[in-house]
Amino acid sequence: MNTKRWIALVIAAAVLVISLLVNSVFAMFQSDFAGNFDELMAAESSQFEETVIEQGSANSRIAVLEVDGAIQDTGEASPLFGATGYNHEFFMGQLEQIKEDDSVKAVMLKINSPGGGVVESAEIYDKITEIQEETGKPFYVSMEAMAASGGYYIAAPADKIYVNKETLTGSIGVIMQSVNYGELAERYGVDFVTIKSGPYKDIMSPTRDMTEEERELLQEMLDDSYQSFVDIIVEGRDMPEDEVRAVADGRIMNGRQAVEANLADDFGYEEDVITALRNDFELADAEVFKYGVSQSWGSLLNVKVQSLFGNDIETQMLAKLMTEYSSPRMMYLYGDK
């Protein structure tokens, strides 16, 4: 055997040994990671980093909560992997923290949202009213650029609602949409085969027209959710139902119109709302803070994951497809689904 073949064999053997070592290390890491991942997720979702906005007494504090983006539960347990925008479970965890933390004396809720899911909006509303009833902690809302539909729904129980004159709000109502591409599919020779257990199992199918019976069934569902929306405004704003229904026809309105319709109390920016809370509840020396993601090693893992998978267009599209809802659902939402 000549020298070149011996060199080739040595290199091949070295590659094999290195490969076995790498695979062994990876297997050990994978096993350890799998065994502790649930524990990591639980810890990550329960830890909130607090950022002080204004210095003050640590025993008397004002919490600032933010709802930014569409109010939808995309199934993400925590912002561990760098999800941007609104995270429902993370926000609900903040509300629970507010309820249990005796040092928090008042809450400012900043809303910049076109609304979202009926169920998620109701969960937030129920939790806010639960905190108000059980702890007496006041909630003031600061509406940002938009607080429409479900964004208004979660603001309704607040003790006071502040808007900017250019805030887009209102859009009180329920919407449910689907796309019918049956004719387009037929044009290109695409045939859909559906086997169903009952006449309404494929209701709102995108491949056929809806029947009148199906429309009536869905309309009854939407009417129930709409009535719930009206009821929470009647209770939260202390308004007669006929006054609420007069503006609860889906119309969008600006801040000035919202104040005139009694859907908001006053004009102001974030600092004005904080000042109002201090003055109204004797919190002149209160610390003002907000919650953020805990800077644990899970956050470092997020950086590693991003560097591994990159931030290319294909990755973003895949994430979008994995997190968006593909089925029609009732929404308290302004604008397109």
Side-chain angles (χ1 to χ4, degrees):
M1 186 177 296
N2 58 36
T3 304
K4 290 184 178 179
R5 290 188 177 180
W6 277 111
I7 294 174
L9 286 174
V10 171
I11 293 174
V15 170
L16 177 61
V17 171
I18 293 171
S19 176
L20 290 173
L21 287 173
V22 170
N23 287 336
S24 298
V25 172
F26 181 77
M28 292 172 59
F29 171 78
Q30 187 179 41
S31 176
D32 183 65
F33 183 78
N36 294 282
F37 186 72
D38 290 339
E39 181 180 346
L40 166 67
M41 291 297 290
E44 187 71 23
S45 62
S46 64
Q47 295 174 4
F48 299 100
E49 181 184 76
E50 295 181 359
T51 301
V52 175
I53 301 172
E54 296 180 16
Q55 296 290 339
S57 172
N59 297 318
S60 180
R61 306 196 295 164
I62 298 172
V64 176
L65 301 184
E66 298 184 26
V67 172
D68 190 1
I71 305 170
Q72 294 190 53
D73 186 355
T74 58
E76 295 161 353
S78 78
L80 177 61
F81 294 105
T84 57
Y86 176 76
N87 183 295
H88 187 64
E89 187 166 341
F90 189 63
F91 182 75
M92 294 302 295
Q94 293 178 60
L95 286 175
E96 183 63 31
Q97 185 78 5
I98 291 287
K99 178 184 174 182
E100 301 299 329
D101 191 340
D102 292 335
S103 71
V104 176
K105 306 302 181 183
V107 182
M108 183 185 77
L109 177 59
K110 291 175 57 178
I111 302 175
N112 184 32
S113 172
V118 168
V119 173
E120 294 93 333
S121 300
E123 284 183 329
I124 295 174
Y125 169 84
D126 289 343
K127 194 64 180 181
I128 290 175
T129 54
E130 176 187 313
I131 294 170
Q132 290 172 318
E133 293 169 1
E134 295 187 14
T135 70
K137 297 176 182 180
F139 277 73
Y140 277 17
V141 164
S142 174
M143 290 186 172
E144 305 296 303
M146 178 178 289
S149 203
Y152 188 84
Y153 190 106
I154 65 174
D159 298 86
K160 282 187 179 180
I161 297 175
Y162 288 79
V163 295
N164 302 317
K165 290 184 178 180
E166 303 305 323
T167 296
L168 288 180
T169 186
S171 189
I172 299 168
V174 195
I175 189 170
M176 191 175 190
Q177 293 179 316
S178 69
V179 176
N180 186 343
Y181 48 77
E183 290 187 13
L184 179 64
E186 184 178 353
R187 181 183 304 174
Y188 288 94
V190 180
D191 185 26
F192 295 92
V193 178
T194 302
I195 301 172
K196 53 187 180 180
S197 59
Y200 303 116
K201 183 58 181 171
D202 64 340
I203 195 168
M204 288 196 82
S205 168
T207 65
R208 65 173 178 81
D209 292 334
M210 185 183 300
T211 68
E212 284 303 316
E213 291 81 3
E214 291 172 332
R215 190 176 298 276
E216 290 174 3
L217 286 172
L218 294 174
Q219 188 64 56
E220 183 179 356
M221 290 168 51
L222 264 70
D223 289 344
D224 285 345
S225 294
Y226 171 73
Q227 184 61 53
S228 297
F229 203 156
V230 170
D231 289 343
I232 69 106
I233 298 175
V234 168
E235 181 177 354
R237 300 298 301 167
D238 193 24
M239 294 172 62
E241 183 170 334
D242 59 338
E243 287 187 18
V244 174
R245 286 183 174 272
V247 293
D249 53 7
R251 73 181 68 180
I252 197 75
M253 61 183 72
N254 62 25
R256 175 189 61 79
Q257 293 170 316
V259 171
E260 292 177 355
N262 198 30
L263 294 178
D265 297 288
D266 206 348
F267 303 106
Y269 295 97
E270 178 180 349
E271 57 270 22
D272 301 312
V273 181
I274 293 294
T275 299
L277 278 170
R278 290 187 184 280
N279 295 336
D280 294 348
F281 298 97
E282 299 181 355
L283 296 170
D285 298 326
E287 176 185 273
V288 181
F289 76 98
K290 65 179 181 179
Y291 293 114
V293 183
S294 174
Q295 296 300 312
S296 65
W297 75 269
S299 299
L300 177 61
L301 177 62
N302 164 44
V303 175
K304 294 299 183 183
V305 169
Q306 287 189 347
S307 65
L308 177 63
F309 292 105
N311 218 8
D312 55 275
I313 296 297
E314 290 83 358
T315 303
Q316 295 179 34
M317 290 177 64
L318 180 60
K320 186 177 180 67
L321 288 171
M322 291 176 66
T323 57
E324 284 190 346
Y325 290 92
S326 59
S327 301
R329 61 194 299 248
M330 289 189 294
M331 305 285 283
Y332 293 137
L333 183 67
Y334 169 68
D336 294 331
K337 181 181 176 182

